[in-house]
Amino acid sequence: MGELKTSPSRPAAPLPQATSPTGRATPRAGTAAPHQERLAGVSWPADGVSAADISGYGVTGGPGASRHVPIASVAKLMTAYVILHDHPLTSGGCGPDITVLPSEAAAYRSQVSDGDSLVAVAAGETITERQALEALLLPSADDMAWILARWDAGSQDAFVAKMNATARSLGMTGTSYTDASGLDPSTTSTAADRVRLGMAAMQVPALAATVAMPTAVVAVAGEIRNTNTLLSQDGIVGLYADLAMSSSATHRATLAG
């Protein structure tokens, strides 16, 4: 995880102008508005790929920010984003019921033996949309990603098409989704694109509230826990897997790495 530093006088080297998830151009680094601190430097991780969106500066690329890499469970953040776009949740609302199909319950047994990240399900079980999203995002349940995809779009392929269309609408030109869970290594993205998705996702109240939860309870699985071990540390207020939203008195940042 990178460390953000600011200085009242010394600007960072300018970067190309970035585009926000809403399509608006964001300020170049080093050209902040008057009376705003300038970004002095970012201490990036030594390995891997990194990027950040820092309030007032836009998307800032670290090492390998545009490199295409498998993103594993980070794909589930897009799954949740698409679900909440198609089926918005009101504050405190649970949303529609989702029924687990016999084929999905049967697949769970073989998926357990494969070592997949899962929550227990049973044929005919009903869970609410909110519970399904909690199971998707807190313990990173692959089976819940596939259940939500089927429920929303009728098939896995149709849902993946929605994921890719949404990525394009957010300016994520370096991203390609091939499944709803991220289990398929051909689902790839860049650090800069993951930051763009993170910024968009945190604008959805139901999604932001879910990733900030330490625990939740769902029907068959019982209590589930958030696997984001960075939550509540060093100002981390949410997000998912290798994405983190950090907030301080002077800056808000979304980091991927």
Side-chain angles (χ1 to χ4, degrees), residues 108-132:
Y108 167 78
R109 291 188 287 274
S110 63
Q111 291 156 0
V112 168
S113 63
D114 291 340
D116 294 346
S117 175
L118 307 165
V119 292
V121 295
E125 167 194 0
T126 59
I127 54 175
T128 66
E129 177 188 349
R130 185 176 292 277
Q131 288 176 323

Side-chain angles (χ1 to χ4, degrees), residues 149 153-164 178:
S155 72
Q156 301 301 313
D157 287 346
F159 188 80
V160 168
K162 286 188 175 187
M163 295 173 74
N164 283 308
T178 58

Side-chain angles (χ1 to χ4, degrees), residues 50-52 59 61 64-66 172 189-197 256:
S50 308
V59 176
S66 60
M172 298 168 60
S189 186
T190 66
D193 274 5
R194 297 199 301 277
V195 165
R196 293 182 179 99
L197 173 58

